[in-house]
Amino acid sequence: MTEHTLTVAGVAVDTRHWIGGERIASSETFTDVSPIDGSALGEISRGTATEAAAAVAAAKAAFPGWAATARAERARILHAIADGVDKRIEDLAIVETHDNAALLRSHRRGVMPRVAHNFRFFADWLLKLEHEEFETRGHTNQVSWDPAGPCVLITPWNAPLMLATWKIAPALAAGNTVILKPAEWTPLTASLLADIAAEAGLPAGVLNVVQGYGAEAGNALVSHPDVRRISFTGSVPTAKAIGAASAANLVPTSFELGGKSPLLVFADADLDLAVDLAVEQYDNAGQVCLAATRILVEESIADEFTKRFAQKAATLKQGDPRDEATDLGPNIHPRQLEKIDGFVQRALAAGARAVIGGAPNTDLGGLYYRPTLLTHVAQDSEIVQEEVFGPVLTLQTFATEQEAVALANDTRFGLAATLATGDHERAERVTAQLVAGTVWVNCFFVRDLQAPFGGSRQSGVGREGGTWSFDFYCDLKNTVTAPKGWRNHG
Ligand code: NAD
């Protein structure tokens, strides 16, 4: 235990950066606070341009060695990291829950096993990554995925380790080195991952973690000229700032951003399923980029749907996220709670009606917001057009399929869309017209790493997943070889 260690529920976490295989402290720190009860978890090193430059230099120095490491050996080390994650699932789960207040039971049983899966999946995918050769007038074309160099990965707080490893795993598998800057509200599991990766035998400098604020450490990293890829998950305004910085160096950048996704419920749907899908949108206290926050219901079933939705939502248990029985924990930060309530109060003042919720949960105090459903909202209103990122849903009705599609597509986002319908032909027709990176029909949140993931319009730029991840994190090269004895007479 040193002055640079904090403990969360008995788990020790190093509060320093991880650069070039060493723990480096900054002279200044920032306080990491738990949203569960507002308690200070500890002081974290606050990175600046100095630490950012050191991390990029370490990643640059480690790059040739890691890029030249045989695919099978890279895959072996990624599998060892996955095994290390599996061994520490309890530690990772409890630390993440204290840091971002998402449910402990989800971290234990869903999120952290998925973190391990991220490493295994991309390790295995690397080993089968191949492009079929093709011929041009007797010449062979061979496509290869060359590692690009140091990659800067910037991630948000709503699913910290899950989203970070979704980028780290393919970037490392591809033979790149990485500098991760986790969100300043949730710095802890990234530090544990650095320990796990080092124990798994990942060479020094291949994975670096710089802690700190976006405007300081983050901006210095994305502006650095030696960076070869930037992958960002977060909000649209930050993406615009990062896009401007990366444009200065012409660095390929991938953006996974916000959403305002629709759930379309047709009269021919299984109503119980549709209600379940709608209530599921309160998961993680509504702090899910993919959440279908705009419920669009066919007029003829709107009253019945709303009644059943309210009944089902009333069974949700709001409380301490460490309690196995809890369905809905607190939101992340006082600023976020204020933002959520601001959206709701302005909507109510503009004529919206709260079927349920509409205010913070004062019985629980702290950062708990009551699950909220608003009706009588106008399509062009703020509450329908802007991402709230809290447990707030709107409900609108439609008369025809055409109107449903028009409402669904009428925002500046295009991350996901969900349909509840019993008519397969309708599902195909509607899906074809929706602007969204992912469409779920009669289901939600089924995500396979083989699938392309990303958003259209202002929900993102680019797709990651399966080979798409390798396309992004690599420089693709085509090698054309002439047949034996060929002479160019042209
Ligand atoms: P944010 O944009 O405020 O911050 C995200 C990260 O960017 C943090 O690490 C932050 O420190 C960093 N950052 C801030 N300014 C920066 C700068 N100038 N240069 C470099 N880095 C900078 O987002 P947030 O509030 O942490 O996350 C919530 C947002 O993330 C929501 O909009 C949500 O929809 C989105 N999100 C999207 C996905 C997806 O896959 N599409 C997944 C989860 C969250």
Side-chain angles (χ1 to χ4, degrees):
M1 220 45 71
T2 71
E3 58 167 316
H4 298 297
T5 307
L6 58 77
T7 50
V8 179
V11 182
V13 186
D14 201 301
T15 58
R16 293 169 291 182
H17 314 288
W18 175 249
I19 298 175
E22 283 176 35
R23 289 290 176 181
I24 310 275
S26 292
S27 51
E28 289 195 49
T29 60
F30 64 94
T31 308
D32 184 27
V33 175
S34 176
I36 299 176
D37 55 7
S39 63
L41 295 171
E43 291 296 310
I44 311 294
S45 272
R46 177 174 164 179
T48 62
T50 308
E51 290 86 355
V56 175
K60 193 178 173 186
F63 174 66
W66 183 245
T69 301
R71 281 184 178 198
E73 175 61 5
R74 293 206 301 260
R76 189 192 64 77
I77 295 178
L78 293 194
H79 271 277
I81 297 175
D83 294 344
V85 168
D86 274 343
K87 275 192 213 121
R88 298 201 66 187
I89 279 186
E90 264 308 301
D91 291 354
L92 292 165
I94 193 77
V95 168
E96 195 89 294
T97 289
H98 278 85
D99 221 8
N100 84 337
L103 299 187
L104 181 58
R105 69 164 197 235
S106 319
H107 281 151
R108 269 186 183 142
R109 293 199 277 281
V111 177
M112 296 308 164
R114 185 84 186 196
V115 166
H117 178 64
N118 285 342
F119 285 102
R120 291 197 181 102
F121 172 86
F122 285 107
D124 294 345
W125 201 261
L126 166 75
L127 297 182
K128 44 183 194 198
L129 195 61
E130 226 179 321
H131 200 292
E132 251 179 57
E133 288 184 8
F134 54 97
E135 271 195 30
T136 311
R137 296 191 305 275
H139 299 58
T140 332
N141 290 261
Q142 221 177 357
V143 177
S144 55
W145 283 261
D146 292 359
C151 302
V152 164
L153 312 178
I154 308 264
T155 47
W157 45 262
N158 61 324
L161 197 59
M162 169 66 210
L163 294 171
T165 54
W166 208 69
K167 298 178 188 301
I168 293 170
L172 294 184
N176 298 305
T177 51
V178 160
I179 307 107
L180 169 71
K181 207 234 31 100
E184 52 270 41
W185 287 348
T186 52
L188 301 184
T189 47
S191 183
L192 291 178
L193 181 71
D195 294 339
I196 292 169
E199 276 163 31
L202 191 71
V206 174
L207 170 67
N208 305 275
V209 177
V210 175
Q211 303 285 8
Y213 292 120
E216 291 177 1
N219 180 54
L221 285 169
V222 298
S223 308
H224 200 291
D226 289 340
V227 167
R228 293 287 169 263
R229 291 290 184 277
I230 297 168
S231 180
F232 169 73
T233 300
S235 64
V236 172
T238 306
K240 289 182 179 172
I242 292 177
S246 66
N249 297 314
L250 282 182
V251 180
T253 304
S254 144
F255 290 125
E256 311 273 3
L257 310 177
K260 194 74 189 175
S261 301
L263 163 61
L264 292 82
V265 181
F266 291 92
D268 56 28
D270 171 337
L271 203 54
D272 287 333
L273 171 72
V275 167
D276 285 351
L277 291 172
V279 172
E280 200 179 333
Q281 309 309 321
Y282 291 132
D283 273 7
N284 208 12
Q287 300 165 140
V288 176
C289 58
L290 293 161
T293 50
R294 293 185 295 133
I295 303 174
L296 307 173
V297 187
E298 193 158 348
E299 262 165 24
S300 57
I301 56 159
D303 288 346
E304 182 62 19
F305 175 89
T306 309
K307 191 179 89 192
R308 290 209 215 168
F309 175 92
Q311 282 165 353
K312 175 95 191 181
T315 67
L316 293 175
K317 185 175 179 300
Q318 196 163 26
D320 191 315
R322 292 166 294 191
D323 182 344
E324 280 277 323
T326 296
D327 299 307
L328 228 86
N331 288 100
I332 183 79
H333 194 276
R335 258 199 339 254
Q336 188 67 15
L337 193 76
E338 206 178 293
K339 195 178 137 201
I340 295 166
D341 197 40
F343 275 119
V344 172
Q345 298 318 318
R346 287 191 296 278
L348 292 172
R353 291 186 207 158
V355 177
I356 58 168
N361 187 335
T362 43
D363 297 342
L364 292 172
L367 301 178
Y368 293 88
Y369 203 85
R370 289 190 190 282
T372 296
L373 178 70
L374 300 176
T375 57
H376 298 81
V377 291
Q379 180 59 24
D380 61 356
S381 65
E382 180 191 58
I383 197 71
V384 170
Q385 293 293 327
E386 297 298 324
E387 185 185 49
V388 176
F389 226 53
V392 178
L393 309 176
T394 57
L395 188 145
Q396 297 166 274
T397 58
F398 61 84
T400 63
E401 188 179 295
Q402 208 180 3
E403 191 190 354
V405 171
L407 290 171
N409 284 340
D410 181 26
T411 72
R412 66 192 161 105
F413 297 106
L415 191 54
T418 303
L419 264 77
T421 174
D423 179 342
H424 287 294
E425 281 173 21
R426 186 204 292 282
E428 279 181 22
R429 254 191 335 265
V430 171
T431 299
Q433 298 171 74
L434 290 172
V435 181
T438 302
V439 178
W440 284 292
V441 180
N442 295 324
C443 60
F444 180 66
F445 221 82
V446 179
R447 277 183 61 187
D448 193 313
L449 290 175
Q450 294 178 65
F453 178 80
S456 303
R457 296 181 177 158
Q458 292 206 7
S459 287
V461 176
R463 296 290 185 270
E464 292 185 41
T467 304
W468 291 278
S469 289
F470 288 93
D471 288 350
F472 172 70
Y473 288 110
C474 290
D475 289 327
L476 283 161
K477 181 190 282 167
N478 186 37
T479 304
V480 186
T481 307
K484 221 171 171 190
W486 186 86
R487 293 281 178 280
N488 188 350
H489 300 299

